[in-house]
């Protein structure tokens, strides 16, 4: 199955909101993504988990920021490893999909770990071009390809995937439409995984801090309950739910002390610590 990236913009971007999101990511050159990726060539578009090494804050002042950036990159790569840990049994002949694939970091890690075929989809032309260039440079373009596609309507064959995931990209789309597409793509018994931020139904609607995160990223953070309602409606049965809220706080505390801080660190830390925002991993099987 060979899929190209030749879908026209009109077929992929169907609403003004999608156009605005694509415009945001086509223009995005945030050092918090670029500088971290330059550490080892793996470019992520997500956050990190795990305790940071406090020694990075010590030592020579002139190299302190580089130590922080390298440690932040280690934490974001650890996050992607946790996602891949939950994909289940994936072999070299299997196909998997990274929906909302960004600059390709998690896709390359999946191929490296499993030897599998990976297709990444994103509505950003810039990200598609960047990630495909990375695949060429890494010598894996025969197995890892990126496509200008809408994650709600990818155009890939039904039942063609062993596994699929969203790594911090579900907040840009309707969850019922998204999980309907994942359920269509996955073979029976296939695994879907997401790591996402969601607001806490118990505390009510979006807190002030969560609203600031929405505004910063032009996104629409969903309630925690919506994930489970939308999965249930689309034959995706959760097998694992992991609360990563506590483990992600050190990343944000370290990021707030770095040169690549964007000012959004305070709302994240406030929302996590007050309990209005959760950072969850949800793994579900297609039945």
């Amino acid at each position: 199955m060979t899929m190209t990236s030749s879908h026209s913009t009109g077929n992929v971007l169907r609403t003004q909101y999608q156009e605005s999101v694509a415009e945001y990511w086509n223009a995005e050159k945030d050092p918090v993504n670029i500088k971290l990726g330059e550490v080892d060539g793996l470019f992520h578009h997500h956050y990190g988990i795990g305790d940071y090494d406090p020694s990075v804050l010590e030592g020579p002042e002139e190299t302190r920021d580089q130590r922080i950036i390298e440690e932040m990159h280690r934490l974001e790569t650890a996050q992607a490893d946790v996602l891949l840990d939950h994909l289940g049994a994936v072999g070299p002949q299997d196909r998997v999909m990274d929906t909302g694939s960004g600059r390709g970091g998690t896709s390359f890690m999946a191929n490296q770990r499993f030897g599998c075929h990976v297709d990444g989809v994103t509505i950003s032309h810039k990200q598609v071009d960047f990630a495909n260039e990375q695949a060429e440079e890494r010598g894996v373009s025969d197995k890892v390809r990126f496509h200008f596609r809408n994650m709600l309507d990818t155009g890939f064959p039904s039942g063609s995937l062993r596994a699929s995931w969203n790594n911090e990209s579900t907040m840009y789309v309707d969850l019922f439409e998204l999980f309907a597409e994942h359920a269509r793509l996955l073979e029976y018994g296939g695994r879907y995984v997401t790591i996402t931020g969601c607001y806490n139904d118990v505390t009510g609607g979006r807190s002030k801090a969560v609203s600031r995160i929405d505004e910063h990223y032009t996104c629409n953070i969903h309630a925690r309950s919506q994930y489970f309602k939308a999965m249930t409606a689309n034959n995706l049965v959760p097998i694992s739910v992991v609360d990563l809220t506590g483990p992600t706080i050190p990343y944000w505390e370290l990021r707030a002390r770095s040169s690549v801080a964007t000012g959004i660190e305070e709302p994240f830390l406030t929302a996590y610590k007050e309990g209005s925002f959760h950072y969850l991993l949800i793994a579900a099987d297609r039945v």
Side-chain angles (χ1 to χ4, degrees), residues 273-287:
K273 291 178 179 180
E274 73 185 7
S276 67
F277 193 43
H278 291 155
Y279 193 52
L280 294 188
L281 178 147
I282 307 169
D285 289 336
R286 169 72 167 93
V287 299

Side-chain angles (χ1 to χ4, degrees), residues 189-204:
R191 174 70 54 81
Y192 170 75
V193 180
T194 184
I195 294 182
T196 188
C198 50
Y199 73 81
N200 183 3
D201 301 84
V202 176
T203 57

Side-chain angles (χ1 to χ4, degrees), residues 92-282:
Q93 299 309 309
D94 287 326
R95 305 197 77 92
V96 302
M97 183 176 288
D98 184 351
T99 51
S101 49
R103 289 183 171 94
T106 310
S107 295
F108 294 122
M109 289 175 65
N111 169 258
Q112 191 171 26
R113 183 188 291 208
F114 304 117
C116 57
H117 298 267
V118 186
D119 288 290
V121 297
T122 171
I123 59 173
S124 166
H125 274 298
K126 288 282 179 68
Q127 291 181 344
V128 169
D129 293 343
F130 183 97
N132 279 327
E133 286 173 13
Q134 287 279 104
E136 292 284 350
E137 290 173 13
R138 291 172 171 272
V140 295
S141 58
D142 59 326
K143 279 206 159 183
V144 185
R145 294 293 298 165
F146 299 89
H147 313 267
F148 177 61
R149 300 289 177 93
N150 191 317
M151 68 173 79
L152 301 180
D153 182 16
T154 63
F156 283 73
S158 298
S160 60
L161 301 180
R162 178 64 206 155
S164 61
W165 67 85
N166 287 91
N167 197 351
E168 292 182 19
S169 53
T170 54
M171 63 287 298
Y172 288 102
V173 294
D174 178 89
L175 293 179
F176 287 83
E177 291 182 64
L178 176 66
F179 295 151
E181 179 67 351
H182 279 287
R184 184 188 70 78
L185 291 166
L186 287 166
E187 64 185 43
Y188 182 82
R191 174 70 54 81
Y192 170 75
V193 180
T194 184
I195 294 182
T196 188
C198 50
Y199 73 81
N200 183 3
D201 301 84
V202 176
T203 57
R206 289 177 184 79
S207 66
K208 184 177 179 181
V210 169
S211 295
R212 284 180 64 190
I213 296 167
D214 267 346
E215 185 179 352
H216 183 86
Y217 290 107
T218 319
C219 64
N220 182 29
I221 292 166
H222 302 292
R224 180 179 55 175
S225 62
Q226 285 297 103
Y227 283 86
F228 301 98
K229 290 175 184 174
M231 285 183 179
T232 300
N234 287 290
N235 299 314
L236 292 169
V237 179
I239 188 170
S240 183
V241 181
V242 184
D243 184 358
L244 297 173
T245 307
T248 198
I249 287 174
Y251 163 88
W252 286 100
E253 291 176 336
L254 185 62
R255 175 167 157 168
R257 303 178 71 166
S258 75
S259 65
V260 295
T262 61
I264 200 61
E265 292 78 17
E266 181 190 347
F268 269 93
L269 286 166
T270 298
Y272 284 141
K273 291 178 179 180
E274 73 185 7
S276 67
F277 193 43
H278 291 155
Y279 193 52
L280 294 188
L281 178 147
I282 307 169

Side-chain angles (χ1 to χ4, degrees), residues 49-95:
I49 56 172
D51 291 328
Y52 66 82
D53 180 351
S55 71
V56 301
L57 299 173
E58 302 159 4
E61 184 67 27
E62 61 271 17
T63 56
R64 178 173 179 267
D65 193 61
Q66 185 58 31
R67 292 194 303 274
I68 291 174
I69 284 171
E70 290 173 2
E71 186 67 352
M72 286 170 61
H73 183 63
R74 184 183 69 81
L75 298 179
E76 64 176 3
T77 298
Q79 187 263 30
D81 270 324
V82 168
L83 188 153
L84 297 177
D85 288 344
H86 286 80
L87 282 186
V90 176
Q93 299 309 309
D94 287 326
R95 305 197 77 92

